[in-house]
Structures are given as C-alpha cells and as structure tokens.
C-alpha cells in the first residue's frame, strides 16, 4: 500500500510539473496572441510611444530638403505642418498601414490623403509667390507625387513583407499551440484531481503547478528588464525605436500580469488546501 502511494505521489509530481509547463505555455501564447499578434495592440502602441510626434521631425527634414531643390521655401512647410501634417494626421496613416500589415504582404503606407492635402496648398503657395508658368500644374503634379513617395517611404516599416510573413506564421502556430497547451492543461488537471480520493492531495499538486508557472512568468520579463535587452535594439529612426521599445515593454507587462493571475490561483488553491487539511485532521 505504501509502495502504491509512493508511486502515485511520484506520478502526481510529474503531472504537476507537466501542468506547470502547460500553464506557462498557455500564458505566454495567450499574451502573444493578445499583444504582438494583435493589430489593435500595435495601433495603441503607436500613440503611447509618441510615434507621430517623432516621425513628424523626420518628415519635415526630408520634405524641406526636397522643397529647397524645387524653390519651395521653409515658410510653406511651417504652415503645412502646423495646419495639415499634424501628429494625428501621421498617426492615422501609420495606424492604417500597421493594421493592413497584419493581413497584406504588399502593404505600404497610403500617401493619397497627404497628396490630396498637399496639391491645393502648393497651388496657393505658387499663386502667392507669382509662379504662373504654363507648365505649373504639371510641375506641381510631379512635385506632389514625389513628395508623396517620400512620405510613404518614411512611414514604411523596413522589410515589411518579412514582418508580414513572420506575423502570419506565428499567428498560425500560436493558435495551434495554444489549443494544444490548453487541452493538455485541462487533461492534466483532471488526472491530478481524480488521482486522489482525499482531494487535499490533488489541491496541493495544483498549488505546485500554478506556483511554478508564476515563478517562470515572473523571472522571464524581469530578466529582460534588468538586462535592458529591449533598449539595446539598434534602430536609427527615433520614432521606430520608441515604438519597438514601447511595444516590447508592453508585452513584458502583459507577461507580468499573467504571472499575477497565476499567483492569484496559487493563493486560492493554497487557501483551499489549508481548509481541506484541517478537515482531514
């Protein structure tokens, strides 16, 4: 009898360890699905990271440089950026682009809104400065198109097709892995629950499983934070760097929240275990 109980105890420990791994896996996969693989999360990160404000600076530098070559003064761009090309304007186009990136391999920033706002402003500027050449309209169309291309290129994410491929593959694999991990956790939990008649022993092993998952979920993001791994990413663009760092830190925060949920379950099962232990005495 004692030998059987020992074997059952060893099996229960193995099952609780496997359950711990499944809970950890479910938590990580669910966090990825809700954050990194969710276009709504990317859109929210754009605002939090101050992406638009930082990208405005890059846009102004490039457009003013091009404008100088076309005899368009800096005063034009000062007014245009103040009244038209605002932070909200840029973030709207980037937000639409990043959302599309999750579903379209050939996604690129749409410059149509920018060009539609730019052409009338250039016409007004030309009239105010006495430009009345016959080819003015054609010239302005060329300038508008080239500035639109500059706008699109500056907002574009490097290697966007690769990013799309990575997102598509990860989404498919994460969905399958999440289902498998959840099913595994459910089966293991049932096995542990029905393994012991005095349920106090089952609850004790559930405490082991959830406490282990809590520690793993806590240690991983804390290590990344302390080591400053995310902040060491090498990106030249200040706007994109801020976005990536904010994006990564948000994922780490979500993992910490998941660890907190596992801790809550650990406490609940520990309280239940204590009550059942007293009842068994």
């Amino acid at each position: 009898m004692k030998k059987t109980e020992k074997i059952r105890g060893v099996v229960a420990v193995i099952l609780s360890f496997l359950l711990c791994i499944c809970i950890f896996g479910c938590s990580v996969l669910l966090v990825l699905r809700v954050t990194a693989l969710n276009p709504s999360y990317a859109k929210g990160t754009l605002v939090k990271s101050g992406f638009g404000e930082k990208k405005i600076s890059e846009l102004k530098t490039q457009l003013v440089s091009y404008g100088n070559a076309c005899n368009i003064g800096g005063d034009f761009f000062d007014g245009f950026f103040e009244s038209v090309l605002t932070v909200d304007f840029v973030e709207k186009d980037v937000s639409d682009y990043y959302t599309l990136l999750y579903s379209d391999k050939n996604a690129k920033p749409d410059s149509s809104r920018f060009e539609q706002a730019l052409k009338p402003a250039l016409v007004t500027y030309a009239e105010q400065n006495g430009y009345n050449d016959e080819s003015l309209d054609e010239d302005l169309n060329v300038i508008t198109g080239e500035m639109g291309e500059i706008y699109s290129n500056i907002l574009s994410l490097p290697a966007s097709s690769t990013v799309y491929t990575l997102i598509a593959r990860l989404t498919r694999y994460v969905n399958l892995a999440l289902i498998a991990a959840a099913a595994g956790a459910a089966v293991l939990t049932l096995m542990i629950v029905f393994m012991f008649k005095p349920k106090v022993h089952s609850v004790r092993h559930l405490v082991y499983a959830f406490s282990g998952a809590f520690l793993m979920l806590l240690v991983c993001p804390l290590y990344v934070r302390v080591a400053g791994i995310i902040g060491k990413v090498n990106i030249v663009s200040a706007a994109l760097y801020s976005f990536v760092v904010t994006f990564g830190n948000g994922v780490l925060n979500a993992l910490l929240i998941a660890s907190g949920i596992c801790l809550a379950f650990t406490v609940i099962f520990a309280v239940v275990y204590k009550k059942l232990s007293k009842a068994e005495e």
Side-chain angles (χ1 to χ4, degrees):
M1 189 69 178
K2 289 184 177 180
K3 185 176 181 181
T4 302
E5 290 179 357
K6 286 183 179 180
I7 294 174
R8 184 181 297 167
V10 171
V11 172
V13 169
I14 294 173
L15 292 178
S16 62
F17 173 75
L18 293 175
L19 177 58
C20 172
I21 299 299
C22 285
I23 295 171
F24 173 75
C26 277
S27 300
V28 172
L29 293 169
L30 189 59
V31 165
L32 287 176
R33 196 68 187 84
V34 172
T35 57
L37 301 178
N38 181 5
S40 296
Y41 174 75
K43 291 169 66 175
T45 303
L46 283 171
V47 178
K48 291 179 183 177
S49 66
F51 184 93
E53 186 176 350
K54 295 179 178 65
K55 188 59 70 172
I56 284 287
S57 178
E58 296 178 33
L59 283 167
K60 194 166 187 178
T61 299
Q62 294 293 325
L63 293 176
V64 168
S65 177
Y66 176 86
N68 288 337
C70 301
N71 293 321
I72 301 174
D75 57 325
F76 167 78
F77 291 102
D78 289 338
F80 186 70
F81 274 85
E82 183 178 342
S83 61
V84 179
L85 202 58
T86 60
V87 171
D88 290 339
F89 188 101
V90 172
E91 286 185 348
K92 171 65 169 60
D93 283 342
V94 178
S95 177
D96 291 343
Y97 164 56
Y98 278 23
T99 301
L100 189 61
L101 190 63
Y102 278 76
S103 59
D104 186 355
K105 184 176 182 178
N106 299 312
K108 64 177 297 185
D110 186 7
S111 62
S112 59
R113 282 201 320 138
F114 170 77
E115 293 180 22
Q116 289 169 5
L118 178 64
K119 177 68 183 295
L122 286 173
V123 170
T124 301
Y125 179 79
E127 292 174 350
Q128 291 174 346
N129 287 273
Y131 297 120
N132 296 311
D133 297 343
E134 294 181 358
S135 61
L136 178 62
D137 188 63
E138 183 179 346
D139 292 340
L140 291 182
N141 285 335
V142 172
I143 291 173
T144 300
E146 291 183 351
M147 283 192 176
E149 191 67 25
I150 292 172
Y151 179 79
S152 180
N153 289 338
I154 291 177
L155 297 189
S156 181
L157 191 67
S160 59
S161 61
T162 302
V163 173
Y164 162 79
T165 302
L166 180 62
I167 289 174
R169 287 180 179 176
L170 279 176
T171 300
R172 182 168 61 253
Y173 294 146
V174 165
N175 288 342
L176 293 173
L178 183 57
I179 293 172
V187 171
L188 289 167
T189 300
L190 290 174
M191 290 177 68
I192 292 173
V193 168
F194 291 109
M195 180 173 287
F196 301 96
K197 282 189 176 180
K199 297 307 177 187
V200 62
H201 301 301
S202 298
V203 174
R204 181 182 63 192
H205 288 286
L206 292 179
V207 172
Y208 295 158
F210 277 95
S211 61
F214 156 69
L215 290 174
M216 288 193 290
L217 288 168
L218 180 66
V219 169
C220 291
L222 285 182
Y223 171 76
V224 174
R225 281 276 175 79
V226 172
I229 294 174
I230 295 178
K232 294 177 182 177
V233 63
N234 186 20
I235 298 177
V236 176
S237 169
L240 189 57
Y241 174 83
S242 179
F243 172 78
V244 170
V245 171
T246 304
F247 191 96
N249 285 330
V251 174
L252 294 181
N253 289 337
L255 287 173
L256 290 173
I257 292 173
S259 72
I261 294 173
C262 286
L263 176 61
F265 275 104
T266 301
V267 172
I268 291 171
F269 285 123
V271 171
V272 173
Y273 172 73
K274 188 174 181 180
K275 289 184 177 180
L276 290 176
S277 296
K278 289 182 177 180
E280 288 291 323
E281 293 177 356

